[in-house]
């Protein structure tokens, strides 16, 4: 008999990283796929669903402007509870460490439905960084039944916390599957980035790409990151600093106030995944506090400066493709300047194999699910 897998997710990165698994499972005669989105993100989620042609069966539409963590969690729990009162899948699959992931795991547990966790075992061991993701993922690990760890280190983290080793499989990260799919789509049909002029896009490798959204960086962290970017833009006028600004108002306020009206800084709306991938391919350097971008950039040989004090993805730092620079203005400037002026340092960061996956994570996950359910 076919087994039913429910995917419950809500934000842009969850949708990107689950898309390859959804598409593969839909083509697999052993399974029926059911999709419930919380829409913790509205516009940024819809951008991804459209690209991969994924139509949710249920849309809880919970996003509120400038939502608080408690309000978001409460709304996600109530919405998912209603969903699982009427749908009884054989397994719920969640991905990552957002509030939707924690809420979906908890509610699935209340309904005694098995839970599979994709991208399990990432840890900083600092409960406030990233906030609230570290605690979301720790809690999820302790209610999940099967754990898809992207790397050996993430499996070790789970085992240290007492998760049974025979419930964990090392699969690689599905973000690489998604990225390779997107790269093919971009090659076949180059997307138009209408928010940037042809002038900005004309020179290969003249773009410095920036993103940022972490809650622990709100306030002083964002002020300082933006000041560093403003000063770098003055110091390196031949580069174009392109920043698709996250829709969170706590991000937009400092970014537009400090970085608006500078001739070589381009503040644009969040890009859909294919234009974003095509912009990454044109970039010489990425400054970010994003999790997913740290994992993607090494595939394209682009050095990443991570503007955070901790990372749950130390594999990239150890391999040499990523540097953790914190949010100090001076440190961000110093390391970026070195990369932009010293070819040897740049090339050593740009020529590292991607430690996060090989593009086959989704297939491995599906085989493990099949074994678990039979
Ligand atoms: C969320 C996740 C974070 C993840 C990030 C990816 C939590 C608590 N945070 O952070 O782990 O790394 O997504 O981007 O789970 N907004 C919109 N439209 C959108 C998306 C967001 O307007 O499509 C605005 C809304 O005002 C919303 C606010 O951003 O209230 C914050 O969204 P929320 O999902 O709570 O937090 P993020 O910072 O996006
Ligand atoms: N991304 C995108 N458009 C953008 C910025 C990022 O499609 O304007 C993609 C990026 O390639 C990566 C994912 O969104 O796959 C990362 O999302 P985000 O940084 O919001 O979340 P995190 O990974 O930190 O949880």
């Amino acid at each position: 008999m076919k087994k039913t897998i429910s995917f419950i997710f809500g934000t842009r990165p969850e949708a990107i990283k689950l898309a390859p698994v959804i598409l593969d499972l839909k083509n697999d005669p052993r399974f029926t796929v059911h999709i419930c989105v919380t829409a913790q993100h509205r516009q940024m989620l819809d951008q991804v669903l459209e690209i991969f042609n994924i139509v949710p069966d249920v849309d809880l539409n919970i996003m509120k402007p400038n939502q608080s963590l408690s309000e978001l969690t409460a709304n996600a729990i109530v919405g998912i509870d209603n969903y699982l009162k009427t749908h009884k899948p054989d397994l719920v699959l969640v991905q990552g460490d957002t509030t939707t992931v924690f809420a979906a795991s908890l509610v699935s547990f209340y309904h005694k439905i098995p839970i599979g966790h994709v991208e399990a075992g990432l840890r900083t061991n600092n409960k406030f960084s990233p906030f609230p993701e570290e605690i979301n993922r720790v809690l999820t690990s302790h209610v999940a039944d099967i754990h898809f760890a992207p790397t050996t280190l993430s499996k070790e983290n789970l085992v240290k916390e007492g998760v049974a080793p025979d419930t964990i499989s090392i699969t690689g990260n599905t973000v690489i599957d998604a990225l390779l799919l997107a790269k093919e789509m971009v090659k076949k049909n180059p997307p138009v980035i209408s928010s940037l002029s042809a002038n900005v896009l004309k020179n290969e490798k003249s773009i410095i790409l920036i993103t940022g959204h972490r809650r622990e960086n709100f306030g002083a962290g964002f002020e300082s990151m933006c000041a560093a970017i403003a000063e770098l833009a003055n110091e390196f006028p031949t580069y174009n600093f392109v920043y698709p600004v996250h829709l969170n108002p706590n991000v937009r306020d400092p970014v537009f106030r400090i970085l608006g009206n500078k001739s070589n800084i381009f503040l644009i709306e969040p890009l859909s995944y294919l234009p974003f991938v095509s912009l990454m391919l044109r970039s010489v350097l990425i400054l970010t506090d994003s999790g997913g971008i740290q994992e993607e950039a090494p595939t394209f040989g682009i050095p990443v400066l991570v503007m955070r004090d901790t990372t749950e993805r130390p594999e990239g730092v150890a391999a040499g493709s990523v540097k953790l620079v914190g949010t100090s203005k001076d440190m961000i400037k110093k390391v970026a300047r070195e990369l932009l002026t010293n070819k040897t340092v740049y090339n050593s960061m740009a020529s590292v194999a991607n430690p996060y996956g090989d593009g086959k994570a989704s297939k491995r996950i599906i085989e493990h699910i099949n074994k678990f359910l039979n």
Side-chain angles (χ1 to χ4, degrees):
M1 218 182 60
K2 277 192 175 206
K3 302 286 183 185
T4 300
I5 312 294
S6 273
F7 288 81
I8 305 181
F9 56 98
T11 68
R12 168 172 71 189
E14 294 162 75
I16 291 172
K17 289 172 168 181
L18 285 175
V21 190
I22 293 173
L23 298 180
D24 282 344
L25 269 179
K26 279 196 160 174
N27 285 327
D28 192 320
R30 296 171 295 180
F31 300 99
T32 301
V33 169
H34 206 259
I35 296 172
C36 168
V37 296
T38 60
Q40 169 180 338
H41 282 175
R42 183 70 277 168
Q43 299 86 343
M44 286 158 56
L45 173 73
D46 292 346
Q47 283 180 323
V48 183
L49 297 177
E50 195 188 330
I51 283 172
F52 290 108
N53 218 352
I54 294 171
V55 181
D57 298 288
V58 173
D59 188 329
L60 302 175
N61 198 23
I62 64 171
M63 195 195 86
K64 300 267 186 306
N66 207 3
Q67 56 208 357
S68 73
L69 291 176
S70 303
E71 179 189 27
L72 169 63
T73 309
N75 290 336
I77 286 177
V78 171
I80 296 166
D81 189 50
N82 286 331
Y83 169 65
L84 292 181
K85 275 180 188 154
T86 46
H87 295 84
K88 300 285 170 215
D90 296 292
L91 180 77
V92 163
L93 264 195
V94 294
Q95 193 287 333
D97 51 21
T98 67
T99 292
T100 290
V101 173
F102 165 58
S105 305
L106 184 68
V107 177
S108 303
F109 163 68
Y110 289 160
H111 286 265
K112 300 204 171 77
I113 297 168
I115 303 148
H117 186 201
V118 177
E119 197 183 80
L122 278 63
R123 296 289 185 268
T124 60
N125 297 309
N126 176 340
K127 77 178 194 182
F128 291 110
S129 182
F131 174 80
E133 292 84 1
E134 179 73 3
I135 291 303
N136 283 342
R137 58 194 173 215
V138 169
L139 296 172
T140 299
S141 293
H142 293 277
V143 281
D145 299 275
I146 35 171
H147 313 262
F148 305 109
T151 65
T152 313
L153 179 67
S154 40
K155 176 171 181 176
E156 285 167 9
N157 290 337
L158 290 168
V159 173
K160 268 190 221 150
E161 288 175 15
V163 176
D166 61 351
T167 62
I168 312 167
S169 39
I170 301 173
T171 58
N173 198 308
T174 56
V175 77
I176 308 301
D177 305 30
L179 186 67
L180 298 180
L181 273 177
K183 190 181 165 196
E184 276 310 301
M185 289 158 98
V186 165
K187 219 164 77 186
K188 266 199 206 134
N189 206 352
V192 178
I193 308 177
S194 52
S195 47
L196 291 171
S197 72
N199 224 12
V200 175
L201 295 168
K202 82 173 175 225
N203 293 327
E204 284 289 304
K205 299 293 170 191
S206 69
I207 288 174
I208 296 177
L209 183 58
I210 302 155
T211 79
H213 68 83
R214 299 245 83 91
R215 274 178 158 77
E216 67 275 13
N217 287 342
F218 290 172
F222 263 92
E223 298 281 327
S224 162
M225 290 190 294
C226 290
I229 293 158
E231 291 181 24
L232 282 167
N234 277 337
E235 192 175 332
F236 294 95
T238 58
Y239 288 97
N240 291 317
F241 291 69
V242 177
Y243 188 160
V245 188
H246 194 286
L247 294 178
N248 194 323
N250 299 290
V251 172
R252 294 173 84 79
D253 292 352
V255 168
F256 282 96
R257 175 166 43 78
I258 303 169
L259 299 178
N261 300 320
K262 303 238 182 293
S263 61
N264 59 335
I265 298 183
F266 301 87
L267 304 179
I268 59 175
E269 293 305 308
L271 287 168
S272 189
Y273 192 44
L274 300 184
F276 189 77
V277 168
S278 96
L279 200 57
M280 271 202 276
L281 283 162
R282 293 162 189 273
S283 299
V284 66
L285 173 65
I286 300 180
L287 309 185
T288 189
D289 64 14
S290 162
I293 296 171
Q294 289 177 62
E295 296 159 336
E296 291 167 333
T299 295
F300 297 157
I302 309 162
V304 180
L305 302 187
V306 178
M307 300 185 288
R308 295 174 49 185
D309 297 323
T310 59
T311 181
E312 58 286 295
R313 296 167 168 90
E315 296 89 345
V317 180
S321 55
V322 170
K323 277 192 179 146
L324 203 57
V325 293
T327 54
S328 134
K329 181 180 84 173
D330 291 340
M331 183 58 92
I332 296 168
K333 280 173 60 190
K334 179 171 168 271
V335 182
R337 185 184 298 123
E338 187 181 30
L339 276 168
L340 295 173
T341 55
N342 184 329
K343 267 211 148 47
T344 314
V345 176
Y346 184 89
N347 289 340
S348 76
M349 277 188 86
S351 54
V352 171
N354 192 318
Y356 295 109
D358 57 3
K360 298 188 179 111
S362 162
K363 305 258 181 313
R364 292 187 191 105
I365 288 170
I366 291 171
E367 287 323 307
H368 287 295
I369 291 175
N370 188 47
K371 271 192 212 139
F372 176 78
L373 292 177
N374 286 295

